[in-house]
Amino acid sequence: MSDIADRVKKIVVEHLDVEEDKVTETASFIDDLGADSLDTVELVMAFEEEFGIEIPDDAAETIQTFGDAVKFITEAS
Amino acid sequence: MFDLTGKNALITGASGGIGGAIAKALYEAGATVGLSGTRVEPLEALAAELGERAHVLPCNLSDKEAVEALPKQAAEAMGSVDILVNNAGITRDNLFMRMSDDEWESVLNVNLTSTMKLCKGVLRGMMKARWGRIVNISSIVGATGNPGQANYAASKAGMVGMSKSLAYEVATRGITVNCVAPGFIATAMTDKLTDEQKDKINVQIPTGRMGTPEEIAAAVVYLASSEAGYTTGTTLHVNGGMAML
């Protein structure tokens, strides 16, 4: 697993208080990991800070799963 | 009670009568204050009167870019924004039939849209801190209406609906969003009224007098306090009983 994926996973595990093995490629933040809509906003904020990037609102809406997040951040950074 | 030591508060319209009293009351409760307004001189004078925990942050709320920059400037000056008081407001009164688009838009822009943008600008920090207080200064006319003030009343009623919606969204993060709706308050503006005009107003107010800026400020201090953590989405009417809502 890439360094980016590790760092994203760490944020997700800490923020949503879920088991690490539940955070799979296709795991949806809301449907599988128990996030509410505000949690997803906070996750995006945390990603922005961790990776020093800006994630515009329209892009943030497309980040639904752990895999989506890793893909977006890999492309952006 | 109501100790705000260690909290940083941004107040818009701090050069006015009510805004100045709010800044003073928050400062006296222990908060560091960011004084925002369009006129620099009265802000400087107020900061000098208050002391070292006061910062001057000039901003013209009809300038979109300046509005967007203000939360950042405030956080840089004070370290964070824990309390936001959207107090600034303008009026452009006219009969509805004669009201121009410009009169409508400028009032909605300054009173409502800038409030929304400032709320948005401070929320990130408040969400991370799991603590925040937003107090929006509405008006009695937002609830009752007032001839000649369709634009102003719409902006002040809009503020209430916006605050309630935001209060829902951020309640789990320790952030409260409330409004204070003043009635007739004695300020430089009402000093210009004749005694006869004042008498006409006062007979409509059960307490028989206009309110003071300090009485509005006291309501703001309460809503800004940790003690008010269970009060959110509400509007505190401070109007001497003029409208019991």
Side-chain angles (χ1 to χ4, degrees):
Chain A
M1 192 180 278
S2 71
D3 167 55
I4 287 176
D6 280 342
R7 286 157 71 192
V8 171
K9 184 175 276 189
K10 189 161 172 277
I11 290 170
V12 173
V13 166
E14 273 174 17
H15 193 88
L16 300 179
D17 196 20
V18 290
E19 299 290 330
E20 206 177 314
D21 55 16
K22 289 225 174 98
V23 186
T24 59
E25 182 79 18
T26 56
S28 156
F29 295 128
I30 291 176
D31 296 334
D32 302 316
L33 302 175
D36 64 21
S37 54
L38 203 54
D39 285 320
T40 63
V41 174
E42 287 188 314
L43 278 175
V44 166
M45 278 164 43
F47 297 151
E48 287 181 330
E49 272 170 35
E50 172 72 19
F51 297 97
I53 54 172
E54 202 142 308
I55 306 178
D57 288 342
D58 53 346
E61 280 167 24
T62 67
I63 301 175
Q64 305 282 342
T65 66
F66 172 66
D68 292 341
V70 173
K71 184 164 172 278
F72 183 89
I73 294 162
T74 306
E75 282 166 8
S77 52
Chain B
M1 268 199 142
F2 310 146
D3 181 10
L4 300 178
T5 306
K7 302 293 186 199
N8 300 317
L10 171 62
I11 304 110
T12 67
S15 50
I18 294 176
I22 292 169
K24 226 180 264 185
L26 292 173
Y27 190 91
E28 278 163 13
T32 295
V33 293
L35 310 172
S36 188
T38 40
R39 293 173 294 140
V40 179
E41 256 175 55
L43 294 177
E44 298 274 9
L46 180 59
E49 185 193 328
L50 292 178
E52 60 181 20
R53 283 182 287 114
H55 302 265
V56 173
L57 302 161
C59 179
N60 177 358
L61 293 182
S62 53
D63 177 347
K64 195 175 159 237
E65 281 169 21
V67 172
E68 278 166 10
L70 182 60
K72 274 186 203 149
Q73 288 163 353
E76 274 166 24
M78 301 188 288
S80 66
V81 179
D82 310 303
I83 299 163
L84 170 66
V85 184
N86 284 300
N87 162 73
I90 59 166
T91 54
R92 296 275 298 276
D93 297 358
N94 206 344
L95 285 175
F96 192 92
M97 297 279 288
R98 298 211 174 103
M99 188 166 287
S100 68
D101 287 357
D102 182 55
E103 284 165 339
W104 175 265
E105 279 161 17
S106 58
V107 169
L108 266 289
N109 258 332
V110 171
N111 297 6
L112 185 58
T113 307
S114 79
T115 294
M116 176 269 182
K117 284 183 189 290
L118 292 178
C119 288
K120 209 173 169 195
V122 301
L123 273 174
R124 181 183 278 243
M126 289 180 178
M127 295 231 310
K128 278 176 75 177
R130 290 288 189 271
W131 198 95
R133 296 284 182 268
I134 295 175
V135 183
N136 294 324
I137 307 302
S138 180
S139 166
I140 184 174
V141 308
T144 62
N146 200 25
Q149 291 199 307
N151 48 2
Y152 184 76
S155 73
K156 294 300 183 178
M159 223 178 216
V160 172
M162 188 203 79
S163 301
K164 288 178 181 177
S165 304
L166 178 56
Y168 266 112
E169 291 187 21
V170 296
T172 55
R173 272 31 176 204
I175 303 167
T176 68
V177 189
N178 292 289
C179 291
V180 172
F184 269 103
I185 304 301
T187 59
M189 204 169 76
T190 54
D191 283 347
K192 287 179 196 150
L193 298 172
T194 64
D195 283 346
E196 196 189 343
Q197 285 172 315
K198 281 183 196 167
D199 288 345
K200 268 191 187 162
I201 291 167
N202 288 341
V203 294
Q204 298 173 53
I205 307 172
T207 49
R209 64 170 179 87
M210 290 189 195
T212 65
E214 290 71 28
E215 286 168 325
I216 302 304
V220 175
V221 169
Y222 163 65
L223 292 172
S225 70
S226 287
E227 284 84 349
Y230 203 56
T231 303
T232 194
T234 195
T235 300
L236 196 42
H237 291 273
V238 184
N239 59 33
M242 193 177 180
M244 301 191 190
L245 302 159

